[in-house]
Amino acid sequence: MWKKGIASAVLLLLIGLLVWNLLEPKEPAIGLENGDQAPDFELKTLDGQTASLSDYQGKKVLVNFWATWCKPCRTEMPDLDAIRSEYDQVEVLAVNLTTTEKSVDHVAAFADELKLSFPILLDQKGIQARYQVLSYPTTYILDEKGRIMSVKHQMLTKKEIEQELDL
């Protein structure tokens, strides 16, 4: 008789765990695919501050990987700046591949020349490798919760960005 009682208790426990797992809200996995939570990172900015991706939760974020020697990067920078200036709910984080640059001063001169207003993050830690960036520019488009909406391995225009972000 007590065996039936134990078997019933174990069965109820298993059913309870199954229901718990089905009803419990799941956090998206951290990864690089659409719908994944983008991996957080912390980098120094051109102006000496520290910025983390998680600092920008609540806004749509364009994480743009670029370098000064990349001609398509130079071409898209004004459009990225226009998006950030025109839409308060959007942030641009320009992650510079600093290890390939002549110097940080060269990066600063580039940003000054183009009058960029968004944060320039200096990637001396290999964040681009963590994000599997193989070509420049590459842009990760994130929603307000930091989930990846899409990844673009190309230069983007203002119009394309507005379409991606439903602006």
Side-chain angles (χ1 to χ4, degrees):
M1 188 70 175
W2 66 276
K3 288 182 183 182
K4 283 186 181 182
I6 291 176
S8 295
V10 169
L11 182 59
L12 284 174
L13 177 66
L14 291 174
I15 291 171
L17 287 172
L18 176 65
V19 169
W20 176 267
N21 282 325
L22 291 175
L23 297 178
E24 181 183 22
K26 300 273 190 263
E27 290 295 318
I30 295 174
L32 299 174
E33 301 295 324
N34 289 354
D36 288 347
Q37 187 73 31
D40 197 12
F41 57 81
E42 181 177 281
L43 294 171
K44 292 283 185 192
T45 63
L46 198 53
D47 62 3
Q49 303 296 314
T50 300
S52 297
L53 178 58
S54 57
D55 294 342
Y56 299 95
Q57 291 255 333
K59 288 188 171 193
K60 292 181 180 180
V61 179
L62 302 172
V63 182
N64 178 261
F65 293 91
W66 68 284
T68 61
W69 46 261
C70 164
K71 290 185 190 223
C73 299
R74 173 181 283 274
T75 302
E76 84 174 344
M77 286 291 170
D79 284 346
L80 292 172
D81 202 56
I83 289 289
R84 182 180 187 252
S85 297
E86 291 177 30
Y87 300 100
D88 290 339
Q89 72 272 29
V90 178
E91 185 60 69
V92 174
L93 297 179
V95 180
N96 176 259
L97 182 57
T98 312
T99 55
T100 68
E101 300 289 357
K102 294 176 187 175
S103 68
V104 171
D105 290 339
H106 182 72
V107 177
F110 178 93
D112 288 344
E113 176 189 337
L114 295 178
K115 297 177 177 56
L116 301 177
S117 65
F118 47 74
I120 305 290
L121 284 67
L122 303 173
D123 185 9
Q124 297 172 318
K125 296 181 177 183
I127 299 301
Q128 89 286 344
R130 186 172 171 198
Y131 272 75
Q132 300 177 356
V133 175
L134 301 175
S135 62
Y136 295 92
T138 292
T139 303
Y140 280 79
I141 300 172
L142 311 180
D143 69 11
E144 296 87 344
K145 294 181 179 180
R147 293 180 302 228
I148 298 170
M149 295 169 58
S150 64
V151 182
K152 301 296 180 182
H153 303 281
Q154 67 199 42
M155 181 186 83
L156 297 172
T157 65
K158 183 174 183 261
K159 184 176 180 178
E160 290 169 331
I161 296 167
E162 288 170 334
Q163 288 173 343
E164 284 289 323
L165 295 174
D166 293 323
L167 300 173

